[in-house]
Amino acid sequence: MKEERDPRIHELDRALRGVRFEPRASLGAEIAGRWRRGEGQGPSRTGRPRRILGLSAVLAAIGVSGGLALRFFSQAPRVVIDHCCEDFDLGGEPDDGLLVVAGPHEQVERLAIYEDRDGSRSFTGPDAIRFDRRSHPVVQWRHLADVHTAEYCCLDYDGGGEADDALVVVARPPDQIALAVIYEQDPSAAAAALLR
């Protein structure tokens, strides 16, 4: 049996479907004002929800900071190698030092060649830096004319504990360095070269 509907219900349904709700232009400002006055925060107007929100933000910040600190301090420590004195700039005098900062997994983070001006046999304030690179390789293009290349092998330049590293320097004497690179020797290839 078919149920009959009142035709007024169809009209009401059509009218309700045509209704559109839009916020008035001042609604955002009104909500912000009510929030500042503490309206709509429940029966208590003592500001307790704001204190809870502030406390939550502080606890979240402490948690994030603690996590970052834990990550920073749990990494392997950085190793600083200060190797002096060689003729790294190919100027003829063994007055140059190599400063290497290596991070976890023998990753070289800084490679600097300096001139040991004060004779301390280590990097100090008066020393002149002839070449400095951070995490990415650097070529000082202005020094690439009339260059010479030298290789210094085999020492522990990366702080790994084994004397399996080599330093290649491309320089224009007496004291201009265009490029310096540390690479790790393959122990089997080095041994094979010694047997030849």
Side-chain angles (χ1 to χ4, degrees):
M1 175 176 183
K2 187 174 180 183
E3 182 182 341
E4 295 219 5
R5 290 190 180 197
D6 188 353
R8 292 178 296 176
I9 292 179
H10 289 293
E11 284 181 34
L12 180 61
D13 183 53
R14 189 178 37 198
L16 287 175
R17 289 182 190 268
V19 174
R20 298 286 179 249
F21 294 97
E22 294 180 5
R24 62 183 183 276
S26 64
L27 182 62
E30 181 181 339
I31 291 172
R34 287 182 177 198
W35 177 257
R36 278 193 303 271
R37 289 189 301 271
E39 292 180 25
Q41 294 183 7
S44 170
R45 297 202 178 168
T46 62
R48 187 170 184 202
R50 282 190 182 175
R51 284 195 300 262
I52 291 173
L53 182 64
L55 181 60
S56 299
V58 168
L59 290 175
I62 289 171
V64 168
S65 300
L68 290 174
L70 181 63
R71 181 175 176 203
F72 177 77
F73 289 114
S74 67
Q75 291 181 350
R78 286 171 172 65
V79 177
V80 177
I81 293 122
D82 189 345
H83 178 75
C84 190
C85 293
E86 299 281 343
D87 183 20
F88 292 129
D89 62 9
L90 308 179
E93 296 288 328
D95 61 350
D96 306 310
L98 174 71
L99 182 68
V100 177
V101 178
H105 310 291
E106 303 166 15
Q107 183 70 33
V108 175
E109 296 177 0
R110 181 180 185 196
L111 186 154
I113 295 176
Y114 63 90
E115 184 176 327
D116 185 30
R117 288 186 169 175
D118 61 357
S120 65
R121 303 191 60 80
S122 64
F123 181 67
T124 57
D127 298 339
I129 294 182
R130 299 293 182 204
F131 179 84
D132 194 5
R133 71 157 256 223
R134 300 297 171 145
S135 59
H136 300 293
V138 172
V139 177
Q140 296 183 11
W141 297 101
R142 65 186 182 278
H143 300 319
L144 276 180
D146 302 323
V147 295
H148 300 277
T149 303
E151 180 181 30
Y152 302 88
C153 186
C154 293
L155 293 174
D156 180 20
Y157 290 124
D158 63 8
E162 294 185 37
D164 60 350
D165 305 313
L167 170 71
V168 174
V169 177
V170 178
R172 181 169 64 186
D175 59 7
Q176 296 173 335
I177 299 173
L179 175 69
V181 178
I182 293 176
Y183 68 93
E184 192 164 295
Q185 290 266 356
D186 180 5
S188 60
L194 287 175
L195 294 174
R196 287 186 198 160

